Amino acid sequence: AVSFFLSSCFHGHIDVDVPCDLPGFPALSLRISPRGLSPASYKEVDAKRWDAAQQYLAQHRLEENLVSALREVIRVRPDDPHEFLSGGVLKSG
């Protein structure tokens, strides 16, 4: 059995080679494409998702807080920047 997951933001196609034990056919090549929305509809869905993400980031001031924490990491240059950064983000929340 062959299985795979297509993300909800997947808009193109995927080529899949499926092993086969039929004489003369070592594999079956398939091209799989999602159906449903037109390319224009995908753009509309993507735009709505992007707008919702931007609104969420602004509402919680996440970009501002992350930039501030990164600036502090660069200024202090701690031995463990990941720990320092996580502490800075937690303090700003």
Side-chain angles (χ1 to χ4, degrees):
V2 176
S3 62
F4 54 92
F5 173 76
L6 294 178
S7 158
S8 61
C9 62
F10 176 77
H11 306 310
H13 66 269
I14 186 169
D15 293 319
V16 179
D17 288 325
V18 180
C20 181
D21 60 1
L22 294 173
F25 294 98
L28 299 174
S29 295
L30 305 171
R31 175 167 283 179
I32 299 171
S33 300
R35 284 190 173 181
L37 298 176
S38 68
S41 296
Y42 281 122
K43 289 180 183 178
E44 183 180 324
V45 168
D46 286 345
K48 288 179 183 177
R49 285 182 182 165
W50 178 254
D51 289 345
Q54 290 292 91
Q55 183 179 9
Y56 180 83
L57 291 172
Q59 176 185 352
H60 296 284
R61 300 178 49 211
L62 293 174
E63 287 180 291
E64 181 182 323
N65 291 336
L66 287 172
V67 167
S68 176
L70 285 171
R71 283 185 181 140
E72 191 65 9
V73 167
I74 292 167
R75 186 182 71 75
V76 173
R77 297 186 186 270
D79 290 335
D80 187 345
H82 297 99
E83 182 178 332
F84 187 89
L85 182 59
S86 65
V89 169
L90 289 175
K91 281 193 301 188
S92 69

